[in-house]
Amino acid sequence: MPATVVVGAQWGDEGKGKIVDLLAQEADLVCRYQGGPNAGHTIVVAGDTYKIRQIPTGIIAGKRSAIGAGCVVDPEVLIAELDELEGRGHRTEGLLFVSGNAHLIMPWHVALDGARERRLGRLQVGTTRRGIGPAYADKATRIGIRVQDLLDSKILRQKLELAVAEKNVWLERVYDLAPFDVEEVVTTHLGFAERLASYVADTSLLVDRALRTGERVLFEGAQGTLLDLDHGTYPFVTSSSPIAAGAAVSFGIGPNRINEVVGVAKAYVTRVGEGPFPSEIDGPEHDRVRDLGREFGTVTGRERRCGWLDLVALRFAVRVNGITSLALTKLDVLSEFSELPVCVRYRLPDGSETAEFPAHQSDFHHCRPVFERLPGWGEEIGWDGLPAAARAYVSFVEAALGVPVTLVGTGAARERVLALR
């Protein structure tokens, strides 16, 4: 289809990178529409592993790739990724385009992110401390510094002088941290400007022209639906909109130009950081799923919390994203279990049960999972199809959601994806 969004249907870490990398083989332009270097994609191609944080996954496939206005960009991280990719033989010049309207993550954003989390103590949100939230906060209060500001040294200096003066007050008087030297920050960012100037572009116009000429555009998000700032499990969310509609906002196109939404979900579910997690696994099976799935963060290395597949939350993701098909990843991780619980309803505090995601946070925080248990398949998933019990597991998911599962991930490599339709 001309315009396809790949969206995380859980709490992130669903394996979107591999699915995007696979679909990018048939795309002309791959676009990252939200988030920053707090989220990573791990891609394995021909035995080589890539851990990407900021640049769209399509760059690995040699495709034109764009970072939209809805993203926040850490220039130091971006330059490091460019250098690494070029050092591994990948061309980036003329392939990567960065929106001039995207906002920059500044060093004080990182400092404030960590300081605020430490100050919150046991009430902390569990951010990656990469400065994402403070950068989006400055964007919302209209004091942020944008990528295009790097192209005008006079404007850049003026904005940096104002920003440093304000942020140093917070750093010194509230958090008892060392202030930033404005001249040092200016010098550093003028260096970033020299390196990044050739990548800055009007990405809205780029996407519009691609769609008008019949090119295939693939939009990739970071994080997942349940971390959406408006529709996720607030306050344990990210600071942007990972849902599919965020792609249209980030790249300045009408929502009617999106043709297909591919939701990506693990065959179980994980989440990182704090917050309620109804289907979280208790006991030794938790560590078993975590170790079999190698559930450690691409960016942070943190252990992910693991749970059985939650169809209530997944049905919510189908609704708010308009998901038209589903990619179910890491089905192979479940091969060693003789029985597989699947959460089909929530039991609410008043004793009633619901198959729909609760609208009130108190209900969600105190709900309990109602499981239906499916038989495992107890054998390795090969290249030629799914065992009967594995196929039944997939069919159960399809029937519960009313959405076809078209792709099934059975291993880490790009080639380990089965197309079911």
Side-chain angles (χ1 to χ4, degrees):
M1 302 295 289
T4 300
V5 179
V6 176
V7 63
Q10 296 165 322
W11 274 285
D13 308 311
E14 303 96 346
K16 296 183 295 297
K18 183 173 71 171
I19 300 302
V20 171
D21 177 60
L22 179 69
L23 298 179
Q25 308 309 306
E26 302 300 325
D28 299 297
L29 177 63
V30 181
C31 302
R32 168 80 176 268
Y33 64 85
Q34 52 78 221
N38 58 329
H41 293 321
T42 300
I43 301 168
V44 181
V45 181
D48 291 331
T49 299
Y50 296 86
K51 294 183 181 292
I52 297 177
R53 295 165 60 183
Q54 188 83 73
I55 297 176
T57 308
I59 205 79
I60 302 299
K63 304 292 182 171
R64 288 181 300 146
S65 300
I67 296 174
C71 297
V72 286
V73 177
D74 187 321
E76 189 170 5
V77 171
L78 178 57
I79 289 170
E81 283 198 341
L82 290 170
D83 291 344
E84 180 186 358
L85 288 169
E86 290 169 359
R88 297 176 70 172
H90 293 275
R91 182 170 70 90
T92 61
E93 191 80 32
L95 287 181
L96 178 66
F97 305 89
V98 183
S99 172
N101 291 339
H103 280 246
L104 293 177
I105 299 171
M106 305 303 295
W108 47 83
H109 292 143
V110 179
L112 288 169
D113 199 358
R116 287 169 181 169
E117 282 288 274
R118 289 190 296 270
R119 192 180 184 90
L120 287 170
R122 65 182 183 84
L123 298 177
Q124 63 184 268
V125 174
T127 76
T128 58
R129 306 191 181 195
R130 297 300 196 275
I132 309 301
Y136 276 115
D138 279 359
K139 173 181 178 178
T141 54
R142 299 176 296 282
I143 58 172
I145 297 169
R146 299 191 293 176
V147 169
Q148 63 176 275
D149 295 331
L150 293 173
L151 305 182
D152 188 317
S153 59
K154 183 179 178 180
I155 289 177
L156 180 63
R157 173 176 283 276
Q158 289 175 343
K159 288 193 171 185
L160 289 177
E161 287 175 347
L162 288 172
V164 169
E166 181 195 343
K167 300 305 177 182
N168 278 349
V169 172
W170 283 93
L171 291 167
E172 293 182 283
R173 300 184 186 179
V174 178
Y175 297 109
D176 195 27
L177 294 175
F180 285 95
D181 178 76
V182 66
E183 291 302 325
E184 184 178 325
V185 174
V186 168
T187 300
T188 299
H189 282 76
L190 287 175
F192 293 157
E194 186 175 344
R195 178 71 170 89
L196 296 176
S198 63
Y199 294 95
V200 182
D202 183 344
T203 56
S204 175
L205 183 61
L206 178 73
V207 170
D208 178 74
R209 286 177 172 171
L211 292 174
R212 286 181 184 278
T213 56
E215 291 187 290
R216 293 159 295 185
V217 180
L218 186 65
F219 298 94
E220 62 166 292
Q223 290 94 28
T225 300
L226 297 175
L227 294 178
D228 186 86
L229 181 60
D230 292 309
H231 301 285
T233 53
Y234 191 90
F236 305 102
V237 294
T238 192
S239 302
S240 58
S241 293
I243 62 172
V249 174
S250 179
F251 281 92
I253 60 170
N256 60 330
R257 302 182 78 181
I258 294 173
N259 305 96
E260 185 175 352
V261 179
V262 179
V264 184
K266 283 175 181 164
Y268 48 101
V269 63
T270 62
R271 81 170 299 176
V272 174
E274 307 300 323
F277 190 2
S279 68
E280 189 167 13
I281 302 170
D282 292 323
E285 286 188 325
H286 176 278
D287 291 350
R288 192 177 173 200
V289 171
R290 183 198 63 203
D291 294 340
L292 287 169
R294 297 185 290 279
E295 295 297 349
F296 303 91
T298 299
V299 173
T300 64
R302 290 190 294 179
E303 293 183 0
R304 296 172 183 147
R305 299 159 62 192
C306 300
W308 301 117
L309 185 63
D310 184 342
L311 292 181
V312 180
L314 203 49
R315 185 179 297 108
F316 172 75
V318 169
R319 170 162 58 91
V320 299
N321 289 293
I323 289 173
T324 55
S325 65
L326 199 66
L328 200 63
T329 63
K330 290 196 168 183
L331 188 65
D332 55 305
V333 172
L334 301 181
S335 295
E336 295 193 20
F337 294 88
S338 59
E339 186 179 67
L340 298 170
V342 177
C343 177
V344 294
R345 294 183 301 281
Y346 292 159
R347 183 170 291 115
L348 300 177
D350 64 3
S352 64
E353 294 184 0
T354 179
E356 300 297 339
F357 200 77
H360 198 286
Q361 64 177 3
S362 294
D363 288 335
F364 182 66
H365 279 244
H366 297 98
C367 71
R368 294 292 179 265
V370 177
F371 289 114
E372 190 161 330
R373 298 179 183 275
L374 304 180
W377 44 94
E379 60 180 289
E380 184 177 343
I381 297 176
W383 298 83
D384 54 350
L386 300 177
R391 179 63 209 173
Y393 187 89
V394 173
S395 296
F396 185 85
V397 172
E398 290 180 316
L401 301 178
V403 172
V405 175
T406 55
L407 298 170
V408 173
T410 62
R414 174 195 291 166
E415 297 81 10
R416 295 304 302 265
V417 176
L418 296 176
L420 301 187
R421 288 174 172 78

